[in-house]
Amino acid sequence: IITFDQKEFKAELLGRDPKADLAVLKFEPNEIKLKSINWSNSDEVRVGDWTIAIGNPLGLGGTVTAGIVSAIGRDIGGGPYVKFIQTDASINQGNSGGPLFNLNGEVIGVNSQIYSRTGGFMGLSFAVPVNVVENVYEQLINKGSVSRGWLGVLIQDVTRELAESFDMDHPHGALIAKVLPDGPAEKGGIEVGDIIIKFNGKEISFSSDLPPLVGSTNVGATV
C-alpha cells in the first residue's frame, strides 16, 4: 500500500470475494495516524445525485473526477449478487477499488468497472454499492469468507403475456420456473408457477432484483 505522501506498507490479505469483486487488506501504519472516512447508506442514493470519484487512473495517483448518478440497481451481467451504481464520473484503468463519494464526503460505493468499446472512458462507470461492501467486509473480517442466502429456485422474468395470464396489472416479480428438491423454497411451500413480488418486505420489480436480496440475507434467517 502506498499512501498519498509516498510511504509504502506491506499489506496482508484477510479475505476476498470474487463474486462481488472485493477484498479486505490489512496493514500496520506504525506511528502514522490514519483517519477513516465515513460510509453512507447506498439505499438512499438517487439518480441525479452528484458523485466524486478518487483513484489512480493510468498511474496518475490521487485523481479526482465528478459526475452524477446515472442509474441505481444496474444489472450488467457481472454476477447475480451485485446491483451496481452507474455514474458518469470519469473512471479509467486504475480507478478500480477507489471510493465513490457523495457531496458530504461519504462513501456510497467502490468503483469496480466501466463499459467501453475502446478501453477508455465512455461515460459508463459502475460502482459496488457501499451497503454490499459493508456486508462483504464484515464477513471477511469475521470469518475470512463470504456466505450468502439461498432459496433453491430457478427464476425468470414475468413477461407482459405472462402477466396478463396471471391477471396482473403489469409485469413485475420473479416467476418460479423450477424448485430444487430439499431446498428452503420447497420446504417453505413455494411451487413452480408462483410469482415472488416481495422478499422480506422489499418489492421485486424484475427477476434480477431477487438474487441480491436473497444473497444478502443471513443463512438460516426466516423471511
Side-chain angles (χ1 to χ4, degrees):
I1 292 178
I2 303 175
T3 59
F4 72 95
D5 55 359
Q6 300 304 304
K7 290 185 173 66
E8 296 189 15
F9 302 88
K10 184 170 287 188
E12 172 191 359
L13 177 66
L14 293 187
R16 64 191 185 95
D17 179 29
K19 291 182 179 178
D21 192 28
L22 295 168
V24 175
L25 303 176
K26 179 181 179 180
F27 74 102
E28 294 296 337
N30 300 319
E31 75 282 356
I32 297 177
K33 294 192 184 304
L34 299 175
K35 185 176 181 180
S36 61
I37 52 181
N38 295 321
W39 292 6
S40 182
N41 179 359
S42 53
D43 288 343
E44 297 177 353
V45 174
R46 295 292 178 263
V47 173
D49 287 352
W50 279 96
T51 62
I52 298 170
I54 298 178
N56 188 35
L58 307 175
L60 301 173
T63 295
V64 181
T65 55
I68 61 169
V69 174
S70 308
I72 54 177
R74 180 71 82 193
D75 179 15
I76 59 174
Y81 298 115
V82 178
K83 289 277 201 169
F84 292 91
I85 297 171
Q86 181 182 328
T87 176
D88 68 350
S90 182
I91 302 288
N92 284 287
Q93 295 174 23
N95 271 109
S96 294
L100 186 69
F101 292 97
N102 60 22
L103 292 189
N104 294 324
E106 301 165 329
V107 178
I108 60 172
V110 173
N111 297 317
S112 177
Q113 52 194 293
I114 62 173
Y115 178 84
S116 176
R117 291 177 176 168
T118 63
F121 176 66
M122 291 180 59
L124 300 168
S125 308
F126 303 95
V128 181
V130 76
N131 288 13
V132 175
V133 175
E134 188 171 11
N135 178 273
V136 170
Y137 160 80
E138 289 177 349
Q139 291 196 58
L140 290 178
I141 286 289
N142 293 326
K143 57 186 181 181
S145 62
V146 176
S147 58
R148 291 182 168 86
W150 176 69
L151 274 185
V153 294
L154 299 181
I155 57 176
Q156 66 184 62
D157 282 328
V158 177
T159 63
R160 186 164 297 281
E161 292 76 18
L162 286 171
E164 290 175 357
S165 69
F166 282 105
D167 292 326
M168 300 172 70
D169 292 335
H170 62 281
H172 64 289
L175 176 64
I176 304 299
K178 183 177 181 179
V179 178
L180 302 180
D182 298 323
E186 184 185 66
K187 295 174 183 176
I190 292 177
E191 300 177 350
V192 172
D194 286 345
I195 296 176
I196 298 177
I197 58 174
K198 276 187 180 181
F199 181 83
N200 214 18
K202 295 188 177 180
E203 300 278 351
I204 306 295
S205 298
F206 304 97
S207 63
S208 59
D209 294 338
L210 184 60
L213 290 176
V214 175
S216 63
T217 304
N218 292 331
V219 175
T222 299
V223 299

